Amino acid sequence: MVPVNERGSVLGQFNANAKWTDAEVRAVLALAAYGMPARAIARKMEMPKSTVWAIVTGRMRDQIPHDWKRRKRRG
């Protein structure tokens, strides 16, 4: 089962274009909640500072699943 939004698009690490796992995103959010600066988080997580900023500000990976669908099996 994979999470989908209102339009049926797959969310999170299950999206074909996802570069970061849900665990990595949660780690970024946790470090930010503890007050670590974006630059330090980016260095620690080995990701661009702009990605950290986008995750922390909710511009990336901020959708809540609307529904769950069965994942289609590949060949």
Side-chain angles (χ1 to χ4, degrees):
M1 301 291 282
V2 294
V4 295
N5 64 12
E6 297 84 20
R7 296 180 308 225
S9 298
V10 177
L11 301 176
Q13 69 186 12
F14 302 103
N15 186 295
N17 296 320
K19 293 181 182 169
W20 312 105
T21 65
D22 291 344
E24 290 169 323
V25 171
R26 283 192 302 273
V28 167
L29 293 170
L31 292 171
Y34 281 114
M36 185 179 275
R39 179 171 283 159
I41 296 171
R43 253 185 271 131
K44 181 175 182 64
M45 299 298 296
E46 297 180 357
M47 61 176 58
K49 189 174 82 169
S50 60
T51 300
V52 171
W53 178 83
I55 291 170
V56 171
T57 60
R59 293 182 183 267
M60 181 185 292
R61 293 284 192 102
D62 65 337
Q63 295 186 42
I64 297 171
H66 177 71
D67 198 7
W68 294 78
K69 290 189 176 181
R70 287 201 186 278
R71 184 176 227 175
K72 293 179 182 175
R73 302 222 178 209
R74 295 182 185 160

